[in-house]
Amino acid sequence: MIFKVLYQESPDEIPVRERTKSMYIEAESVREVRTKLIEKGYKINVEHIHALDPEHLEYEKQSEHFQLENV
């Protein structure tokens, strides 16, 4: 399953919509996504993680910013 992670680049940064970034990670659960981020040493402020259903995934793939992270 592919998950979309919305985050701020700094773990101390207050979430501001205009500075929110996203990444896509393949995992079995939200817990696994968080574990992978911690294990790889990502220092980010995770706002939200949600699973992408097939239709939403196809939509996201059309974006030039879509890149599946290798974590």
Side-chain angles (χ1 to χ4, degrees):
M1 180 172 279
I2 306 295
F3 290 85
K4 184 174 185 177
V5 180
L6 300 171
Y7 68 96
Q8 303 292 317
E9 288 186 322
S10 171
D12 302 325
E13 191 173 331
I14 296 170
V16 176
R17 181 176 170 201
E18 290 77 19
R19 289 185 269 173
T20 298
K21 304 213 183 248
S22 62
M23 71 171 79
Y24 304 89
I25 298 176
E26 187 170 5
E28 294 297 319
S29 66
V30 171
R31 177 176 278 181
E32 185 180 343
V33 171
R34 289 187 184 277
T35 301
K36 286 182 174 188
L37 291 172
I38 291 168
E39 287 174 351
K40 291 292 184 173
Y42 279 84
K43 303 275 192 244
I44 58 176
N45 180 6
V46 175
E47 288 181 44
H48 186 67
I49 301 172
H50 61 100
L52 299 178
D53 59 50
E55 294 82 20
H56 193 166
L57 179 58
E58 287 305 314
Y59 174 78
E60 293 288 343
K61 284 182 177 179
Q62 294 174 10
S63 168
E64 63 187 44
H65 302 290
F66 181 84
Q67 180 179 347
L68 193 58
E69 295 292 322
N70 187 16
V71 291

